[in-house]
Amino acid sequence: MLDRIPKRDIFAWNALIRARLADRKPSEAILIYCQMLLRGVNADNHTFPRILNAARLGGAFFSGRQVHGHVLKLGLGSDDFVVTALVSMYGDLDGPCSARKILDGSSRRNPVSWTLLMGMYSDQEKPNLALKVFYEMAAAGVPLDSVALATALGASGRLRSVLDGKKIHDLARKSGLELHPLVANVLVKMYFDCEVPGDARALFDRMPAKDMVSWTTVISGAVHTGAFNEGLKLFRELCAEGRKPDHFTVSSVLPACARMSASRHGREIHGYTIRHGVGAGLPAVQNALMDMFVKSGRLESAQKIFFQMAEKDVVSWTVMIMGYSLHGRGEDGVKLFREMERDPAGVAPDAAAYYAVLHACHTACMVEQGRFFFGRIRKPGVEHVALLAGLLARAGKFEAARTFVEKRRMEDRPEVLRAVLDGCRIHRNLPMGKRTAEKLAELEPLNAENYVLLSNIHAAGGRWGSVEGLRRTIRDMGLRTKQACSWIEVGGKFHVFRVGDVFHPRSVRIRWELDRMMEKMREEGLSLDADFSLHDVDEERESIPAGHSELLAIAFGLISTPVGAVIRVTKNLRLCRSCHASAKHISWLTGRDILLKDPLRFHHFRDGECSCRDLW
DNA sequence: TTAGGGTTAG
């Protein structure tokens, strides 16, 4: 073919080069360019961008620089397209500073090359430098088009700088691009990233044309800022408009179902993905579905998806390992991790996968395995250290936990201290518990939870004076402890209960049921631990007779679901020993399975036993 | 015949 190309037909040469690039064969594109030079054909303004791209994609910096020489020789150094390709080549192969030099040597009027430079800084996690480029560009009078504005807004979001975001928003407004589809979408994301969901939502509502990216952005933003219900509502609105959510949208809304344990909504969306073939074979969607099932207490459904997945990635394995662990099946989690390592598909564990397997070791109290996996983590994070320290502590190896943490120089990290403290609670190691809790309170004086933990320890030791003192501290500092609440989904509706609540329409009947259970427990001589709890003890002492929120929710479940149905309750705080014991007894007395989710794990109560083996 | 951009999962 080459020999039959008429000498001057640069168009044909360009087409050949383009074809090689489309086939992703950059080195062959460069070879064709060389043939062209050998035949004495001069490249033009269409050839250079392609050849420079070929050099960039093939990592051929030396060739790229030679081509740069050709550009200068042929006097094409000020062509906008050529400059852009040069900026891109130098940036990718030699870094942004190098790209910057090209830009400075050009006419500097082309927004595309400026935007490229901005994007490079943004991709390298240097959004502040990206913004610097943007402001320079604006000051130099370069036209700010939609892509330039969008890129700068993306950088503001990454920097979480609403100040910059608003400035750029203003510029967009002045140039009439505020509601441009691209700009508006990025503006919405920027406001979410800067944690100003109100502004994000207001802009979304004003958008005249919302595409699927707009909807996905607002749903994902709502979910990430904790507005789970809002996310679900938006998703329903979208469907009600007759639009078809795609795999991005579905993967954005599923975490809301997971976080709320909204099993019914999650199952509806699962149905939607099956009916519309959305996300079949896409790990992002399948993994989000699995996670939703794990977190809404349906481990079997998650397993079913997992074992049917043709291509599992590291997230799929991690979700499933974590799923086993959260449901009290640590051994199965460790087994699955081993299986992943043996898998011929060759998935390499990352930091999160190691977190999951350590979590499984923690759940199963497998100390040696935990040590082994920890040793394999290349750069253990504080979350890994906290898990292993917690594992040692819950196994009663307090001295080992202490030396391990000190060796890692993490004795001042609240996450680690909290993990160790949990072991102290389980083993009722009051002296070490007290020291640990005091340190925690010193490190985070504004976190009311810490004083609650400390006061729990004083309460366990009967030091009510100290308990009272801590309550005063909390009050004087103007802090507030979290109020416990539990909820249960019945008939697609959430029923929320607080301690001693009497506001539910069926309150009297609930109370009666709970009293009946307590009475039965007494008859059967079942003991109810008083405890070393995780609640505000004073609240607890006052409210035991009225019933903790989880017991109210369980009692409501007993009277409002069919005999034999599993009762699924979620609680915003961790259970106390007395409620844990009551739930065990209730499962035995009624023959019901009770699935209670607290912020850290699931408790499966059946026949008077709990899946956590009382280690929690 | 040529360039820069936006939404997803642990």
Side-chain angles (χ1 to χ4, degrees):
Chain A
M1 283 289 296
L2 286 177
D3 293 330
R4 283 159 60 189
I5 298 175
K7 218 176 174 183
R8 311 225 170 276
D9 194 355
I10 184 66
F11 187 101
W13 288 99
N14 288 346
L16 270 180
I17 292 169
R18 182 173 42 137
R20 297 295 83 193
L21 273 175
D23 276 355
R24 287 186 219 192
K25 298 197 167 132
S27 52
E28 289 184 21
I30 292 176
L31 280 176
I32 292 176
Y33 175 71
C34 294
Q35 296 279 347
M36 193 180 117
L37 295 185
L38 284 173
R39 284 168 172 71
V41 181
N42 274 341
D44 69 357
N45 57 328
H46 288 273
T47 321
F48 282 125
R50 289 181 182 143
I51 283 305
L52 289 165
N53 259 327
R56 178 173 65 86
L57 295 169
F61 190 41
F62 186 74
S63 303
R65 286 169 59 181
Q66 277 188 304
V67 176
H68 186 189
H70 303 168
V71 165
L72 299 176
K73 223 165 108 185
L74 290 176
L76 284 167
S78 51
D79 179 276
D80 275 352
F81 289 89
V82 175
V83 170
T84 302
L86 280 168
V87 166
S88 181
M89 191 272 292
Y90 276 100
D92 271 16
L93 302 183
D94 200 35
C97 292
S98 199
R100 179 73 212 222
K101 279 185 203 140
I102 299 294
L103 184 63
D104 287 338
S106 75
S107 74
R108 298 164 47 104
R109 294 283 311 160
N110 175 12
V112 180
S113 43
W114 283 89
T115 305
L116 260 171
L117 186 64
M118 244 199 292
M120 282 172 206
Y121 283 122
S122 226
D123 287 345
Q124 292 190 0
E125 309 283 316
K126 290 173 182 159
N128 49 333
L129 295 180
L131 285 179
K132 219 179 129 213
V133 171
F134 176 78
Y135 290 127
E136 262 183 79
M137 171 182 178
V142 183
L144 303 176
D145 62 13
S146 60
V147 183
L149 288 164
T151 308
L153 286 166
S156 315
R158 284 195 182 191
L159 203 58
R160 314 229 173 292
S161 164
V162 73
L163 226 66
D164 287 298
K166 286 203 171 196
K167 256 192 245 171
I168 300 163
H169 188 170
D170 249 4
L171 289 171
R173 209 177 282 130
K174 280 180 193 141
S175 49
L177 287 170
E178 183 194 26
L179 297 178
H180 177 285
L182 167 66
V183 177
N185 284 344
V186 186
L187 270 169
V188 170
K189 179 153 167 52
M190 180 277 294
Y191 280 120
F192 275 120
D193 287 345
C194 296
E195 289 169 67
V196 198
D199 288 13
R201 187 55 207 268
L203 190 81
F204 174 79
D205 291 339
R206 278 174 48 219
M207 284 175 67
K210 303 175 175 74
D211 60 15
M212 208 42 77
V213 177
S214 326
W215 282 96
T216 303
T217 306
V218 75
I219 288 171
S220 140
V223 174
H224 281 297
T225 48
F228 307 129
N229 248 321
E230 177 91 358
L232 276 172
K233 236 177 94 187
L234 283 159
F235 185 81
R236 277 198 298 269
E237 251 174 68
L238 173 63
C239 295
E241 281 189 11
R243 313 272 299 262
K244 297 263 174 284
D246 62 12
H247 63 279
F248 286 112
T249 326
V250 167
S251 343
S252 303
V253 72
L254 279 169
C257 309
R259 291 292 294 277
M260 297 205 308
S261 306
S263 171
R264 186 185 160 119
H265 298 290
R267 275 143 69 209
E268 276 170 19
I269 294 169
H270 183 212
Y272 176 89
T273 64
I274 294 172
R275 284 196 306 278
H276 294 84
V278 170
L282 288 181
V285 174
Q286 301 300 313
N287 295 343
L289 280 168
M290 279 167 51
D291 193 48
M292 177 276 294
F293 279 126
V294 162
K295 295 196 172 127
S296 30
R298 292 169 193 269
L299 191 63
E300 318 73 39
S301 304
Q303 262 176 315
K304 211 168 143 195
I305 295 178
F306 179 78
F307 289 114
Q308 280 173 356
M309 274 177 82
E311 280 180 36
K312 304 177 181 72
D313 63 11
V314 66
V315 179
S316 328
W317 292 91
T318 306
V319 171
M320 203 60 233
I321 293 166
M322 204 59 198
Y324 281 129
S325 187
L326 289 172
H327 285 266
R329 294 170 56 179
E331 288 89 350
D332 288 330
V334 173
K335 249 189 246 163
L336 198 63
F337 186 88
R338 297 257 186 224
E339 215 176 290
M340 171 179 80
E341 292 188 306
R342 283 196 306 270
D343 193 67
V347 178
D350 60 8
Y354 276 115
Y355 179 86
V357 74
L358 278 180
H359 196 278
C361 294
H362 183 267
T363 300
C365 219
M366 296 162 74
V367 176
E368 284 319 307
Q369 297 270 11
R371 280 196 169 118
F372 170 74
F373 288 121
F374 185 89
R376 295 207 350 218
I377 307 173
R378 211 164 290 156
K379 259 188 83 189
V382 60
E383 68 280 16
H384 299 110
V385 173
L387 270 178
L388 191 61
L391 168 54
L392 292 167
R394 69 165 21 204
K397 301 179 185 300
F398 291 104
E399 193 48 35
R402 196 180 59 81
T403 46
F404 166 72
V405 170
E406 282 174 3
K407 207 172 123 201
R408 295 265 152 197
R409 298 172 182 274
M410 297 235 179
E411 56 270 49
D412 286 336
R413 305 296 292 261
E415 305 91 317
V416 176
L417 292 173
R418 261 188 283 274
V420 172
L421 185 56
D422 223 37
C424 300
R425 182 181 56 83
I426 291 169
H427 290 277
R428 306 198 177 219
N429 181 341
L430 294 185
M432 184 157 176
K434 181 165 172 283
R435 278 200 305 278
T436 311
E438 280 170 352
K439 195 157 179 190
L440 204 48
E442 262 171 46
L443 287 171
E444 300 176 331
L446 295 181
N447 184 349
E449 300 292 299
N450 295 332
Y451 302 105
V452 172
L453 290 170
L454 187 55
S455 88
N456 289 165
I457 290 169
H458 287 306
R463 293 184 294 272
W464 297 105
S466 306
V467 171
E468 189 42 48
L470 281 166
R471 289 194 67 78
R472 255 202 313 279
T473 308
I474 295 178
R475 217 177 24 245
D476 293 348
M477 291 177 75
L479 303 177
R480 293 191 62 175
T481 55
K482 259 195 204 149
Q483 296 291 300
C485 73
S486 300
W487 59 94
I488 179 170
E489 194 183 331
V490 174
K493 249 190 85 181
F494 286 95
H495 299 258
V496 185
F497 298 88
R498 290 178 181 282
V499 202
D501 230 338
V502 289
F503 300 112
H504 194 276
R506 302 190 63 191
S507 180
V508 174
R509 180 73 181 79
I510 293 169
R511 190 68 255 158
W512 184 83
E513 182 68 20
L514 198 52
D515 286 342
R516 200 170 67 93
M517 287 292 135
M518 294 295 173
E519 185 54 40
K520 266 194 176 174
M521 284 182 220
R522 266 190 295 276
E523 279 169 18
E524 301 279 349
L526 300 171
S527 68
L528 288 179
D529 258 314
D531 84 338
F532 193 109
S533 73
L534 295 155
H535 286 180
D536 193 327
V537 265
D538 259 28
E539 174 188 280
E540 181 163 282
R541 272 192 303 170
E542 288 156 8
S543 59
I544 280 183
H548 279 173
S549 61
E550 57 270 50
L551 294 186
L552 292 173
I554 291 173
F556 177 66
L558 283 172
I559 61 170
S560 56
T561 56
V563 177
V566 179
I567 296 175
R568 299 161 184 276
V569 170
T570 307
K571 180 169 183 182
N572 70 336
L573 297 178
R574 295 176 62 185
L575 318 190
C576 67
R577 260 181 218 274
S578 114
C579 286
H580 194 264
S582 304
K584 283 203 286 189
H585 299 330
I586 293 174
S587 77
W588 183 68
L589 290 168
T590 60
R592 292 273 204 129
D593 279 18
I594 300 171
L595 195 48
L596 218 159
K597 183 192 187 197
D598 77 10
L600 295 187
R601 60 178 55 81
F602 282 89
H603 299 264
H604 287 245
F605 298 99
R606 171 183 281 179
D607 296 333
E609 297 293 329
C610 179
S611 58
C612 76
R613 287 168 259 180
D614 298 339
L615 263 179
W616 89 98

